[in-house]
Structures are given as structure tokens and as C-alpha cells.
Amino acid sequence: MSYDFGSFAAAFVSDPILALIVILTLGATVVNGATDAPNAIATVVGTKAMKPTPAIVMAAICNFVGLAGITLVSSAVAATIFKMVDFGGDNHAALVALAAAMVAIIVWGVAAWYFGIPTSQSHSLIAGITGAAIALQGGLGGVNGGEWMKVIYGLVISTVLGFGTGWLFTRLIKKACRRAERSKANSFFKWAQIVSGAGVAVLHGAQDGQKFLSLCMLGIMLAMSGQSGSDVSFPFWLIIMVSAVMALGTAVGGKKIIKSVGMNMVKMEQYQGFAACLSACFCIGLATFTGLPVSTTHTKTTAIMGVGAEKSLRNVKWGLAGRMVGTWVLTFPGCGLLAFAFTHLFLMFF
């Protein structure tokens, strides 16, 4: 089956279900760009290495480059999401369930954005498609346990490794620069932080963007060929389209999240901001190229906490951190149940 842009455009115009799936998926991608991507450069703004507007522009460009460029080299995360659940069986019902999952993801993400909480859109996506698959299949038979376990591995990387490397990199930088002139060191770390912040944004584009790219492709395959298969190759036009939409989301909606993470959680100096970005790059990059779906929000936030804890546990505002953790804990059952309910509701009317 050919998935060239011409065939897709014809199917998009003639098939309202496909149009709905694509629009909803791209809508969820915009929400992700607005809520998750700003975390990549939150510390750059928090330490005053860059002003908010140019930092957001940089993040938007890097999101685009990361998704478009890295996906051409490795689509491991997209493959994991593609195989995580089974929407097979009745093709119409599968499309309805996928649409219900997208609605749940968007509703959950918009609510988090409204309250300025950097919830994980990655976790929302995983919870949404899982809840929809369970509703469609009437049980856990629609969930691929082997692929779902990668979510657990990703949680370990984003929490334990994120916190640990944030603490370690901060300690190493302090030891390496203990005799350095402060003004020169600050000048170096200002630019090092900008570069590493751009790196986090690039990896966010690849990690999170591939998740939505995978769901968009799943909808296209179900609508155009009636099957999803076990392997998939992503057409270049689709990669570019999803990349552009994610970049747009980042450009238009990130200041609330930047303030919440970069300024409110912990007060940092230039070298600490660099350590946090370096930690996030290491963890997200490791996960991306091994196919582990992680939350970039989760990873960057725990890296910031690790940096703050290196000097003193009092440096971290644990109340805000606890609020974020509570949101993450609620996301899996909350968004999953929302998708489960929407799936049953949609199947009644469509």
C-alpha cells in the first residue's frame, strides 16, 4: 500500500474518520509542543542565559530539527509506541477508539497547561492509547506487555538516572572549575548552557514527536489499508508535517511552563543550568536511541532537582516537586480512564 502524500490527501478529503484522526493527532502534537517542549529551555531562561522569547524560538526550531532529523536515522521510540497496543479486529471500531484516545490526551493536556503544571504528555499518550485499547478489546488482551514494560524502564531512567546524573554532573563541574576565575567561568557556562539547552530541545523533538508520529501513521494505515502491521516506515512528508506542528505548539504556548520549572523549582547559577541540561541530554538521548519512551518533562525536572540537591536539599522546593509528581502519578489512571470512557461513548454514537 502506497502512503505517498497524493494518496493520503485523496483519502483525507474522502474519509471523514481519517480526517478526524489526523486532526486530533496533530492537535495533541500542538499541545505537547506547548506543554512539554518549553521544559527543554526552562533552565536557560531561569538562569538568564537567554530571554524567554528567543529561547522559545530556539526550542521550536530545535524541536523541528530533532524530530525530522533523528527520525530519519532512528525511529525506535515510534516503533515501540506502534507495537504497544492492538487496535485490531473491527477496523471502524479501531479508528473510533484511536480518536477517543486522542480526545482524552488533548483534554488532559489542555487542563494541565491551563493550570501551569508541566504534566507529561508522553505519559498521557501512553495512558490514552492503553485505556482505549482495553475498552476496545474488553481487557488486557489489547496491551502488548513486553512493549509496555519499556515504559517502566523509561520511568527508571527519567527519575533515578535523571536525578543522579544531575547531582553527579554538578559535583564534577564544581571540582573541575574550583580554581577557575568566576567571571570567565560564568561566561563559558552561559553559552554551554544555551548549546546544551538546544540539545535537549532537539532530543525532545525526537523522543516526544515520534510518539505522535507513530499514532498518526497508525490512523493512516488503518483508514487507508485496513491494517496496521507490525513494522512501519514513515513517509518523509508525514515526518515534516508532524515536526512543523510540534514546532508551532512550542512557539505559541510555553511561558507558563518555563516559569513553573525554570524559575520556581530551584534557583540556579549558570553552571548548574548547564549540568541540568547535560543530564537531560544524556538520559533522553539514551532512551531515544534504545526505543524507551520517557517523559522529557519528567527527566528534565528530576535533573533540576538533582542539581539543586547537590548543594543542599533545602535548595529544592519540594512542595512544587511533590505537586508535579502527584500529577504524573495521576496521569496513567486518570487519562487512561478518560480514554476508556470516551471509547465506550464514541462507540455508542459512531
Side-chain angles (χ1 to χ4, degrees):
M1 177 71 188
S2 173
Y3 296 108
D4 61 90
F5 184 75
S7 299
F8 163 75
F12 182 89
V13 172
S14 62
D15 188 340
I17 298 179
L18 173 60
L20 178 63
I21 291 290
V22 172
I23 291 170
L24 287 172
T25 306
L26 294 180
T29 307
V30 170
V31 172
N32 178 269
T35 57
D36 272 23
N39 288 287
I41 40 84
T43 51
V44 179
V45 176
T47 60
K48 296 182 172 56
M50 292 182 76
K51 292 183 178 180
T53 298
I56 290 172
V57 172
M58 180 184 76
I61 294 171
C62 289
N63 280 174
F64 180 92
V65 171
L67 177 53
I70 293 180
T71 301
L72 295 175
V73 177
S74 170
S75 58
V77 173
T80 297
I81 298 298
F82 197 81
K83 300 172 185 176
M84 187 169 288
V85 297
D86 179 15
F87 284 107
D90 185 330
N91 189 52
H92 176 77
L95 286 169
V96 171
L98 186 56
M102 290 299 100
V103 171
I105 292 164
I106 292 171
V107 169
W108 191 270
V110 169
W113 172 82
Y114 179 80
F115 290 106
I117 302 171
T119 186
S120 168
Q121 280 297 105
S122 298
H123 293 167
S124 300
L125 183 149
I126 293 166
I129 61 172
T130 302
I134 291 173
L136 183 63
Q137 301 287 12
L140 294 175
V143 180
N144 184 335
E147 295 298 321
W148 222 96
M149 278 302 298
K150 292 181 180 180
V151 177
I152 307 302
Y153 302 147
L155 282 172
V156 173
I157 284 181
S158 61
T159 53
V160 178
L161 193 61
F163 186 95
T165 54
W167 184 92
L168 177 63
F169 289 157
T170 306
R171 178 61 60 90
L172 292 176
I173 289 170
K174 287 176 69 174
K175 286 185 176 295
C177 300
R178 61 184 181 275
R179 292 190 177 90
E181 186 179 331
R182 190 172 185 83
S183 61
K184 291 182 178 179
N186 283 339
S187 178
F188 168 79
F189 284 118
K190 173 182 177 180
W191 291 105
Q193 187 181 347
I194 292 172
V195 172
S196 58
V200 177
V202 166
L203 289 166
H204 168 268
Q207 172 68 223
D208 281 21
Q210 283 192 22
K211 296 168 186 140
F212 290 97
L213 176 67
S214 180
L215 293 193
C216 197
M217 190 65 198
L218 177 59
I220 291 171
M221 292 178 72
L222 285 170
M224 293 179 64
S225 66
Q227 57 184 1
S228 59
S230 57
D231 297 307
V232 61
S233 59
F234 301 94
F236 183 69
W237 63 264
L238 183 61
I239 295 172
I240 295 299
M241 182 171 70
V242 176
S243 300
V245 169
M246 173 169 278
L248 175 64
T250 303
V252 300
K255 289 189 178 179
K256 273 191 176 183
I257 305 300
I258 285 178
K259 185 176 186 300
S260 181
V261 175
M263 299 179 181
N264 290 348
M265 178 170 284
V266 59
K267 301 299 181 183
M268 290 183 293
E269 296 184 43
Q270 301 283 3
Y271 78 93
Q272 292 174 310
F274 171 63
C277 289
L278 190 62
S279 170
C281 279
F282 175 77
C283 296
I284 298 170
L286 175 64
T288 298
F289 287 101
T290 55
L292 300 180
V294 300
S295 164
T296 52
T297 302
H298 206 156
T299 307
K300 184 64 182 291
T301 303
T302 54
I304 292 171
M305 291 168 63
V307 168
E310 187 278 333
K311 186 173 184 180
S312 171
L313 292 176
R314 296 177 183 175
N315 273 9
V316 180
K317 294 187 177 180
W318 296 104
L320 178 59
R323 184 182 174 203
M324 293 177 182
V325 171
T327 304
W328 298 330
V329 171
L330 288 173
T331 295
F332 284 113
C335 190
L337 287 172
L338 199 61
F340 182 90
F342 278 152
T343 299
H344 281 295
L345 183 64
F346 282 24
L347 287 172
M348 289 173 59
F349 291 99
F350 300 102

